[in-house]
Short mmCIF file of all heavy atoms in Angstrom, two decimals:
data_model
loop_
_atom_site.label_atom_id
_atom_site.label_comp_id
_atom_site.label_asym_id
_atom_site.label_seq_id
_atom_site.Cartn_x
_atom_site.Cartn_y
_atom_site.Cartn_z
N SER A 412 -74.84 -128.76 19.15
CA SER A 412 -75.77 -129.50 18.30
C SER A 412 -76.82 -128.68 17.56
O SER A 412 -77.43 -129.14 16.67
CB SER A 412 -76.54 -130.55 19.26
OG SER A 412 -77.27 -129.91 20.25
N ALA A 413 -76.98 -127.45 17.99
CA ALA A 413 -77.87 -126.50 17.25
C ALA A 413 -77.32 -125.93 15.99
O ALA A 413 -78.01 -125.34 15.14
CB ALA A 413 -78.36 -125.36 18.17
N GLY A 414 -75.97 -126.14 15.83
CA GLY A 414 -75.28 -125.59 14.66
C GLY A 414 -75.46 -126.46 13.44
O GLY A 414 -76.17 -127.51 13.48
N ALA A 415 -74.90 -126.05 12.30
CA ALA A 415 -75.04 -126.81 11.07
C ALA A 415 -73.87 -127.76 10.76
O ALA A 415 -74.04 -128.74 10.21
CB ALA A 415 -75.25 -125.88 9.90
N ASN A 416 -72.67 -127.30 11.15
CA ASN A 416 -71.46 -128.06 10.82
C ASN A 416 -70.47 -127.84 11.90
O ASN A 416 -69.47 -127.10 11.76
CB ASN A 416 -70.95 -127.61 9.42
CG ASN A 416 -69.82 -128.41 9.00
OD1 ASN A 416 -69.64 -129.58 9.33
ND2 ASN A 416 -68.88 -127.80 8.21
N THR A 417 -70.68 -128.48 13.06
CA THR A 417 -69.83 -128.23 14.23
C THR A 417 -69.04 -129.51 14.57
O THR A 417 -69.35 -130.62 14.21
CB THR A 417 -70.70 -127.82 15.45
OG1 THR A 417 -71.70 -128.88 15.74
CG2 THR A 417 -71.46 -126.53 15.12
N SER A 418 -67.96 -129.23 15.33
CA SER A 418 -67.06 -130.30 15.70
C SER A 418 -66.38 -130.02 16.99
O SER A 418 -66.62 -128.97 17.68
CB SER A 418 -66.03 -130.52 14.59
OG SER A 418 -65.28 -129.35 14.34
N GLY A 419 -65.50 -130.91 17.47
CA GLY A 419 -64.86 -130.83 18.76
C GLY A 419 -63.67 -129.86 18.77
O GLY A 419 -63.74 -128.73 18.47
N VAL A 420 -62.48 -130.49 18.99
CA VAL A 420 -61.29 -129.76 19.01
C VAL A 420 -60.54 -130.01 17.71
O VAL A 420 -60.22 -131.16 17.33
CB VAL A 420 -60.39 -130.14 20.21
CG1 VAL A 420 -59.03 -129.33 20.17
CG2 VAL A 420 -61.11 -129.80 21.54
N GLN A 421 -60.21 -128.92 16.96
CA GLN A 421 -59.49 -129.04 15.69
C GLN A 421 -58.08 -128.45 15.83
O GLN A 421 -57.89 -127.34 16.29
CB GLN A 421 -60.17 -128.30 14.58
CG GLN A 421 -61.51 -128.95 14.17
CD GLN A 421 -62.12 -128.29 13.00
OE1 GLN A 421 -61.75 -127.14 12.62
NE2 GLN A 421 -63.07 -128.91 12.33
N ILE A 422 -57.09 -129.26 15.37
CA ILE A 422 -55.72 -128.78 15.40
C ILE A 422 -55.11 -129.00 13.97
O ILE A 422 -55.15 -130.09 13.44
CB ILE A 422 -54.86 -129.55 16.37
CG1 ILE A 422 -55.35 -129.32 17.86
CG2 ILE A 422 -53.38 -129.11 16.32
CD1 ILE A 422 -54.64 -130.08 18.90
N LEU A 423 -54.59 -127.89 13.43
CA LEU A 423 -54.05 -127.99 12.08
C LEU A 423 -52.62 -127.32 12.14
O LEU A 423 -52.48 -126.19 12.46
CB LEU A 423 -54.91 -127.24 11.05
CG LEU A 423 -54.33 -127.09 9.62
CD1 LEU A 423 -54.01 -128.51 9.08
CD2 LEU A 423 -55.26 -126.38 8.75
N ALA A 424 -51.62 -128.14 11.66
CA ALA A 424 -50.25 -127.65 11.64
C ALA A 424 -49.71 -127.82 10.20
O ALA A 424 -49.96 -128.94 9.64
CB ALA A 424 -49.34 -128.29 12.64
N SER A 425 -48.98 -126.89 9.67
CA SER A 425 -48.43 -127.06 8.35
C SER A 425 -47.06 -126.31 8.28
O SER A 425 -46.72 -125.58 9.12
CB SER A 425 -49.42 -126.56 7.32
OG SER A 425 -49.60 -125.13 7.46
N ASP A 426 -46.35 -126.67 7.17
CA ASP A 426 -45.08 -125.96 6.86
C ASP A 426 -44.10 -126.07 8.07
O ASP A 426 -43.62 -125.08 8.57
CB ASP A 426 -45.29 -124.49 6.57
CG ASP A 426 -46.04 -124.36 5.21
OD1 ASP A 426 -45.99 -125.27 4.40
OD2 ASP A 426 -46.70 -123.29 5.08
N ASN A 427 -43.87 -127.32 8.51
CA ASN A 427 -42.84 -127.61 9.52
C ASN A 427 -43.17 -127.20 10.89
O ASN A 427 -42.30 -127.25 11.76
CB ASN A 427 -41.44 -127.01 9.13
CG ASN A 427 -40.90 -127.55 7.83
OD1 ASN A 427 -41.00 -128.77 7.60
ND2 ASN A 427 -40.47 -126.66 6.91
N THR A 428 -44.44 -126.80 11.12
CA THR A 428 -44.85 -126.59 12.52
C THR A 428 -44.96 -127.95 13.24
O THR A 428 -45.44 -128.95 12.60
CB THR A 428 -46.20 -125.90 12.55
OG1 THR A 428 -46.04 -124.60 11.95
CG2 THR A 428 -46.74 -125.75 13.95
N ILE A 429 -44.54 -128.03 14.48
CA ILE A 429 -44.62 -129.24 15.31
C ILE A 429 -45.59 -129.01 16.42
O ILE A 429 -45.55 -128.00 17.09
CB ILE A 429 -43.22 -129.60 15.78
CG1 ILE A 429 -42.26 -129.84 14.62
CG2 ILE A 429 -43.32 -130.83 16.66
CD1 ILE A 429 -40.87 -130.15 15.08
N VAL A 430 -46.45 -130.01 16.58
CA VAL A 430 -47.50 -129.92 17.68
C VAL A 430 -47.35 -131.03 18.68
O VAL A 430 -47.05 -132.15 18.31
CB VAL A 430 -48.88 -129.99 17.03
CG1 VAL A 430 -50.02 -129.93 18.03
CG2 VAL A 430 -49.08 -128.92 15.97
#
Side-chain angles (χ1 to χ4, degrees):
S412 61
N416 187 27
T417 59
S418 56
V420 178
Q421 292 185 344
I422 298 176
L423 174 59
S425 63
D426 294 335
N427 299 314
T428 297
I429 300 174
V430 179

